[in-house]
Amino acid sequence: MADSPPRHPRFLALLAILLLLTVPWPFIGSETVFAWGLPRWLWWSLGWTAALAVTTAWGILRLWGDEEDPS
Amino acid sequence: MTDPQSVVIASCVYGVLLLTLGYFGRRAKQRNTLEDHFLAGRSIGLVVLLLTLFATQYSGNSLSGFPGKTYRAGLGYIMSVTFMVGVVSGYLLYAPALLARARKRRYLTPNDFLADRFGSPTLHYTAAAIFAFTLCNFLLAQLMAMGHAFAGLTDGRISYTAGVVGGAAVILGYELLGGMRAVAWTDAIQGSILISGLALVVVVVVTEIGTPTAILQTLAVQAPAKVASPSFQACLTWLSTCALLGLGGPLYPQAIQRLFAARRIGELRSALAIMALVPLFVITTVVFIGITGAMLFPDLDTVGSDQVTFRVLGHLADLQPWVGLPVLLVMMGVLAAIMSTADSALLSLASIFTKDVIARRLGLRGTEVDRLTRVVPAISLGAVLLLGWIALEPRFTLWRLLEIKFEVLIQLSPAFVLGTLPPPSHGRPYAARDVLRGLMVGLTLALGLYLTGHSTIFGLHAGVLGVIANYLTAMASRRLDRRPETV
């Protein structure tokens, strides 16, 4: 079987945690406060989404093996 | 607003360009085989691959529908950035192992994997029906969107009917001429138009209306609810939508076939890595357009808000005459996005009928299936005629069924994810009966909830609840039913 992210459960767990973090849970019901021109919850969500995107790209480039013949 | 006459002329020029690309696609054909027609002979390189993946993932809905949703839901629809990244993350669950196997065994359709891995005719035909249902849904929605887009953008100079018929004829033309090669090339053109149009619009909005921070601060005073943080239920829906699209999006057969069509795994990895970053720029821009619309036009109804992209563009063109070119580019970009989604769905639908249904029924194997290249035009024509006819006379009872494509498609996720897992150290690998039991439980739950009016429960989609039950059933089946795998 080719090397692939399912062979790296910690990486998949990291993706799941990042996905959970993209949701602005800590800001539920709080007042909208702006920081550097944008609502703070938006910074939170975009920041973790960027982390998810970069981690996904890293996983694709580093954990996806080159083998053409798995079995 | 941009002169409708110029949109008519640009549409005609664009149609001729697409047909010309189809002609060159035909000339570039290397062999008269299904692999050459449906997968461009597995020869698509990095740049075209990236742009065709982009054009396939970003439909007309992403450009005109997402700003409308942002307008109505407010800044909370920034979750669309997350779920579009999630679609690419979702590939990591099964695509590397699937691709390795697909290249060795020369799969043409996603269903080839299921047939090869599980060997169950019941699973094969059920999956083919789910894929065909999803693709018909896509194609029909795009044909209707094409009719509305032509009629709306040309101020009625091209009627809805002419838009559906003309657009479908052009798509059918270049697809039959050049197959996947032509579709990928036209997708590349369509993707380029989309990206350049959006980039120009951002520049124009920032220079003529204001920066995102200025627009958001104005909106916070004007309509505070639109910039407020999402409620708990909205957060659950956010997570559920990410799961729905993250598991369902990578299962689109047209997207999987683009992975199969890559020239080299290395190029595919590079293209997908870039695709993971694309939503940060493209979808953020699309949400920005919706927010700008909410500030400029605060009182739109649902229908009006669905046209908010065009209203913002019209407003920009009224402010500055030089804005006409970017506006025209984005308008063509919307048309291009619709057409690129439609052509991918049509090609994939034809491949599923040809390979998964006809070749299977006739018992054709290996190179014998290439005899079916002669029936591909008839299948494509038949699909366009049937769906075009429905698009011209929409039946709303049918629409209800078509809304549920993701809830249904996502139920195939365990078949691909569990089917590509490495062999376990203890017990047997997943068998067709495990996957089928899960699929039946998942489909029954998702469709049952949806059709009884419970499309979401506590913010969680029926399809997501169905797929959780689906995975649990398949896992329990493997653990409890210890008979050895028969295939």
Side-chain angles (χ1 to χ4, degrees):
Chain A
M1 183 72 73
D3 190 22
S4 61
R7 294 192 156 218
H8 303 270
R10 282 186 196 166
F11 173 75
L12 292 185
L14 175 65
L15 283 187
I17 291 167
L18 287 173
L19 184 64
L20 273 173
L21 285 169
T22 62
V23 186
W25 306 106
F27 300 89
I28 292 171
S30 63
E31 217 172 286
T32 310
V33 179
F34 276 72
W36 299 296
L38 298 179
R40 278 169 61 186
W41 71 265
L42 185 65
W43 281 115
W44 170 280
S45 180
L46 282 178
W48 287 114
T49 301
L52 177 68
V54 170
T55 309
T56 298
W58 180 86
I60 290 169
L61 294 173
R62 298 285 169 183
L63 302 180
W64 185 328
D66 269 324
E67 297 107 299
E68 304 262 319
D69 188 350
S71 55
Chain B
M1 194 70 174
T2 300
D3 175 21
Q5 194 80 35
S6 52
V7 181
V8 174
I9 294 168
S11 305
C12 292
V13 171
Y14 187 57
V16 172
L17 172 71
L18 295 179
L19 288 169
T20 310
L21 281 172
Y23 169 74
F24 282 109
R26 184 176 189 81
R27 287 188 53 165
K29 234 176 188 177
Q30 287 153 0
R31 292 180 305 276
N32 192 27
T33 60
L34 289 183
E35 186 180 63
D36 199 277
H37 186 78
F38 290 127
L39 301 181
R42 299 180 208 269
S43 64
I44 299 183
L46 175 62
V47 176
V48 175
L49 189 62
L50 174 62
L51 288 167
T52 189
L53 281 169
F54 174 78
T56 304
Q57 188 174 334
Y58 294 78
S59 65
N61 184 43
S62 317
L63 275 189
S64 55
F66 285 13
K69 285 177 182 163
T70 306
Y71 181 97
R72 294 188 292 275
L75 199 52
Y77 204 67
I78 198 77
M79 73 168 166
S80 51
V81 182
T82 313
F83 68 62
M84 292 302 258
V85 173
V87 170
V88 185
S89 310
Y91 282 115
L92 287 174
L93 293 175
Y94 74 91
L98 174 70
L99 259 287
R101 207 168 161 130
R103 294 176 81 81
K104 180 189 173 196
R105 306 191 187 197
R106 310 203 78 76
Y107 295 157
L108 276 185
T109 68
N111 226 351
D112 282 343
F113 164 71
L114 298 181
D116 183 29
R117 166 68 179 79
F118 293 108
S120 157
T122 311
L123 180 60
H124 176 89
Y125 286 117
T126 309
I130 291 174
F131 282 136
F133 170 76
T134 309
L135 290 166
C136 285
N137 172 326
F138 248 105
L139 190 50
L140 177 57
Q142 301 309 313
L143 288 176
M144 294 182 72
M146 212 153 51
H148 286 304
F150 273 115
L153 296 178
T154 63
D155 215 8
R157 280 178 171 78
I158 297 178
S159 68
Y160 171 82
T161 305
V164 171
V165 173
V170 169
I171 289 170
L172 191 65
Y174 68 74
E175 183 165 319
L176 289 184
L177 280 170
M180 169 67 102
R181 205 170 270 107
V183 166
W185 289 352
T186 54
D187 279 359
I189 302 279
Q190 289 156 350
S192 309
I193 294 175
L194 227 76
I195 293 169
S196 21
L198 277 176
L200 279 169
V201 165
V202 172
V203 172
V204 175
V205 169
V206 169
T207 51
E208 297 298 323
I209 298 177
T211 59
T213 55
I215 289 171
L216 275 175
Q217 280 169 352
T218 308
L219 195 63
V221 176
Q222 202 177 298
K226 298 228 162 161
V227 295
S229 60
S231 64
F232 179 70
Q233 179 132 342
C235 284
L236 281 181
T237 304
W238 179 316
L239 198 59
S240 177
T241 309
C242 289
L244 192 70
L245 277 101
L247 291 175
L251 289 177
Y252 279 143
Q254 65 269 43
I256 295 177
Q257 285 181 305
R258 270 152 184 72
L259 308 188
F260 289 176
R263 185 170 50 195
R264 278 191 279 273
I265 293 275
E267 287 173 317
L268 174 63
R269 281 194 320 230
S270 303
L272 278 178
I274 297 171
M275 282 292 291
L277 305 175
V278 163
L280 298 174
F281 306 97
V282 172
I283 301 296
T284 309
T285 303
V286 167
V287 169
F288 175 46
I289 293 174
I291 286 296
T292 306
M295 185 197 76
L296 291 174
F297 313 104
D299 300 316
L300 298 179
D301 57 11
T302 306
V303 176
S305 62
D306 272 334
Q307 297 163 349
V308 73
T309 304
F310 302 113
R311 286 179 188 261
V312 171
L313 295 177
H315 180 78
L316 292 173
D318 290 341
L319 285 177
Q320 284 290 348
W322 67 269
V323 173
L325 177 66
V327 168
L328 186 63
L329 257 180
V330 173
M331 287 177 170
M332 294 313 298
V334 173
L335 269 178
I338 295 169
M339 291 178 87
S340 65
T341 308
D343 64 26
S344 310
L346 177 61
L347 190 72
S348 204
L349 188 60
S351 72
I352 282 171
F353 271 106
T354 309
K355 182 76 188 340
D356 296 342
V357 180
I358 300 176
R360 175 98 185 182
R361 294 295 300 167
L362 297 177
L364 302 179
R365 290 178 180 276
T367 53
E368 288 174 345
V369 296
D370 292 329
R371 283 188 289 176
L372 295 177
T373 47
R374 282 170 295 174
V375 305
V376 173
I379 291 171
S380 302
L381 182 64
V384 166
L385 285 178
L386 176 68
L387 294 170
W389 173 68
I390 297 173
L392 293 178
E393 289 182 36
R395 285 151 176 76
F396 289 98
T397 46
L398 187 67
W399 267 119
R400 182 86 200 279
L401 278 176
L402 295 184
E403 283 173 357
I404 58 179
K405 65 173 185 290
F406 261 114
E407 271 79 356
V408 174
L409 181 64
I410 195 179
Q411 304 308 329
L412 285 177
S413 168
F416 283 88
V417 175
L418 302 177
T420 51
L421 284 178
S425 47
H426 300 292
R428 60 172 176 80
Y430 283 94
R433 58 180 182 274
D434 306 321
V435 171
L436 270 170
R437 284 167 187 158
L439 186 59
M440 290 310 135
V441 169
L443 274 179
T444 308
L445 182 61
L447 289 177
L449 285 173
Y450 196 91
L451 296 175
T452 53
H454 302 90
S455 57
T456 58
I457 291 181
F458 299 116
L460 300 173
H461 293 85
V464 171
L465 295 170
V467 84
I468 292 171
N470 186 342
Y471 269 101
L472 291 176
T473 306
M475 289 172 183
S477 168
R478 176 177 160 269
R479 197 165 271 274
L480 299 174
D481 182 347
R482 292 173 185 272
R483 287 174 294 155
E485 195 183 16
T486 50
V487 177

